Amino acid sequence: MTIRSLLSTVSIAVLLGTASVSAQAQIALGHLADYSGGTSDVGTPYGQGVADTFAWINKNGGIGGKQVNLDTNDYGYQVPRAIALYKKWSGADKVAGIMGWGTADTEALTGFLAQDKIPDISGSYSAALTDPTGAGGKAKPAPYNFFYGPSYSDALRAELTWAAEDWKAKGKTGKPKFVHMGANHPYPNAPKAAGEAIAVELGFEVLPPLVFALAPGDYSAQCLSLKSAGANYAYLGNTAASNISVMKACKSAGVDIQFMSNVWGMDENAAKAAGDAADGVIFPLRTAVSWGGNAPGIKTVMEISKISDPTGKIYRPVHYVAAVCTSLYMKEAIEWAAKNGGATGENVAKGFYQKKDWVPAGMEGVCNPSTWTDKDHRPTTKVDLYRSKVSGATDGDLNDLMAKGTIKLEKVKTVDLPRKPEWHGW
């Protein structure tokens, strides 16, 4: 049986031999993971990062002397399954928090989370989850929704800011043409309106959006549409697997375009799979460094990684590192709650408000400073933009490709966006 299948059915507490510990001596957390659904390409390393982090926490004494019972479930990116799991977690043995995942299910649970006072720090960075009061008028109140990193909308605003500068730097004249691409689904659509609005402000001509599924496929037709429309910049809103299909098809069709991707749309594995078709893609990075980077906190990440890879030989992509940061924010919020009335969901949510420019202990130089307040759940509006660089054949081991520099993640620009009230919630 693989680690993945074990994690889908057995809690981390059981894996560490703590199943006999009474429920009163445990801190229960729910964990939604996608190991088999439409976003499993990036869901698998992220879910593994969450699982490894809490296993490492338990191995090192738990939280306040209590073990964490992380109930990991592969829900296959299916909203009904997420809701069914939530009903279990919000029952008699209510969890202290949820490590969430997708946009559609996170948004579907928002009202329930508020009603039941259960915080969910999600893998969805939808701006609709950032307004705890609803005072901004753009989204429903989301007082128990959190995430780590810039929102999808702010990331796209930053990418388009860079694209406008790039157009001028290349000496181009006229209006650059921008197109939003992705599945007709809450996740890729989350930043669409925000992106198109700022594109107009920045002087782009906004083309009609192009739809392509979350699954890999033949997207030659979309590439021909880009070519015939003369598109200059395209945002890929899906996860890496389907984006790779688009990049390869457009490379074959000779489409001259600058791709920009969603935070889940490009990583080291995607660059390896897409080869030279991935060269030059612009994407946001949530952490200050990637695997093996020069930062004190990388030592902690590598210790955590050894939970599921004692050899230390597996290369962990950017999503794994982001999951470690996300999990340690939850851990420290629970620590605060345990010392201030108990690790209830309501107290854990308050724990997220206790620090400004917060970096979890031991993660210095890895997790970007984050601040959540009871009025604004945008942890940061600073966006680090990177470019994927591919300079040769990408066969072989990813560790070797990264070590040799065949694949690089090259920092391009940091865009420090204003925290505009009118951008709150969208």
Side-chain angles (χ1 to χ4, degrees):
M1 183 178 285
T2 64
I3 287 177
R4 183 187 302 178
S5 61
L6 276 171
L7 290 176
S8 66
T9 56
V10 186
S11 73
I12 293 302
V14 172
L15 288 177
L16 293 176
T18 58
S20 61
V21 180
S22 68
Q24 289 76 19
Q26 296 180 0
I27 295 168
L29 292 178
H31 176 205
L32 287 171
D34 182 13
Y35 296 147
S36 61
T39 61
S40 58
D41 55 320
V42 292
T44 297
Y46 185 89
Q48 187 70 66
V50 171
D52 285 355
T53 303
F54 283 102
W56 177 80
I57 289 167
N58 282 344
K59 185 179 179 181
N60 288 278
I63 301 177
K66 292 185 177 183
Q67 293 285 288
V68 177
N69 184 349
L70 184 75
D71 185 18
T72 298
N73 289 264
D74 174 12
Y75 78 115
Y77 205 58
Q78 296 178 30
V79 174
R81 290 175 67 180
I83 292 172
L85 286 163
Y86 177 80
K87 287 179 180 177
K88 178 181 77 167
W89 293 332
S90 60
D93 299 320
K94 189 160 74 170
V95 297
I98 294 171
M99 304 301 298
W101 179 241
T103 297
D105 42 274
T106 303
E107 291 184 354
L109 292 173
T110 295
F112 296 114
L113 296 167
Q115 176 183 302
D116 299 323
K117 298 181 179 179
I118 300 175
D120 179 347
I121 189 163
S122 178
S124 168
Y125 311 132
S126 170
L129 305 172
T130 64
D131 189 352
T133 67
K138 299 283 176 51
K140 296 184 297 183
Y144 283 81
N145 288 95
F146 300 86
F147 56 74
Y148 157 71
S151 72
Y152 294 140
S153 295
D154 281 343
L156 181 50
R157 289 179 178 116
E159 287 177 305
L160 283 162
T161 299
W162 168 84
E165 294 171 358
D166 177 67
W167 183 256
K168 291 177 182 176
K170 289 176 177 174
K172 303 282 189 177
T173 58
K175 285 189 171 187
K177 296 181 179 181
F178 166 71
V179 60
H180 182 284
M181 301 179 66
N184 188 14
H185 180 280
Y187 150 57
N189 282 342
K192 181 174 174 291
E196 292 183 345
I198 197 171
V200 171
E201 288 180 29
L202 291 168
F204 287 83
E205 178 185 342
V206 176
L207 301 175
L210 287 175
V211 175
F212 68 103
L214 275 167
D218 180 3
Y219 299 120
S220 302
Q222 285 83 348
C223 293
L224 292 175
S225 293
L226 288 174
K227 196 171 188 177
S228 63
N232 306 112
Y233 297 89
Y235 172 76
L236 299 173
N238 290 356
T239 59
S242 54
N243 288 353
I244 290 166
S245 294
V246 171
M247 291 185 286
K248 283 185 168 183
C250 290
K251 179 78 173 177
S252 297
V255 180
D256 182 16
I257 193 164
Q258 174 64 63
F259 283 121
M260 305 178 295
S261 95
N262 179 279
V263 66
W264 299 108
M266 176 52 60
D267 62 13
E268 301 93 329
N269 286 318
K272 173 176 163 52
D276 62 356
D279 186 43
V281 176
I282 300 294
F283 67 102
L285 200 69
R286 289 147 292 180
T287 53
V289 294
S290 55
W291 181 254
N294 184 19
I298 280 293
K299 182 180 177 183
T300 303
V301 178
M302 292 189 168
E303 286 177 6
I304 290 169
S305 176
K306 287 181 180 178
I307 290 291
S308 60
D309 173 33
T311 69
K313 292 180 179 179
I314 294 176
Y315 184 95
R316 303 296 191 179
V318 292
H319 311 306
Y320 182 97
V321 182
V324 172
C325 287
T326 305
S327 301
L328 291 175
Y329 281 114
M330 176 64 91
K331 181 242 186 188
E332 293 194 3
I334 294 171
E335 280 181 331
W336 183 90
K339 296 173 183 175
N340 292 273
T344 64
E346 187 173 11
N347 286 339
V348 173
K350 290 177 183 176
F352 281 97
Y353 304 145
Q354 302 307 312
K355 297 178 183 179
K356 185 178 181 180
D357 296 328
W358 173 14
V359 174
M363 294 297 285
E364 292 77 13
V366 176
C367 306
N368 281 319
S370 300
T371 304
W372 293 271
T373 73
D374 60 0
K375 300 291 191 296
D376 193 340
H377 282 193
R378 288 175 286 187
T380 184
T381 55
K382 186 180 77 170
V383 185
D384 291 326
L385 296 178
Y386 279 70
R387 177 186 285 115
S388 61
K389 297 294 291 179
V390 180
S391 58
T394 55
D395 302 331
D397 181 72
L398 185 57
N399 261 317
D400 292 339
L401 293 169
M402 299 300 296
K404 292 173 182 175
T406 305
I407 296 173
K408 292 180 182 178
L409 305 183
E410 174 186 85
K411 189 170 184 179
V412 173
K413 183 180 179 65
T414 295
V415 180
D416 206 346
L417 293 165
R419 193 175 285 267
K420 291 185 178 182
E422 61 267 33
W423 285 355
H424 199 188
W426 77 293

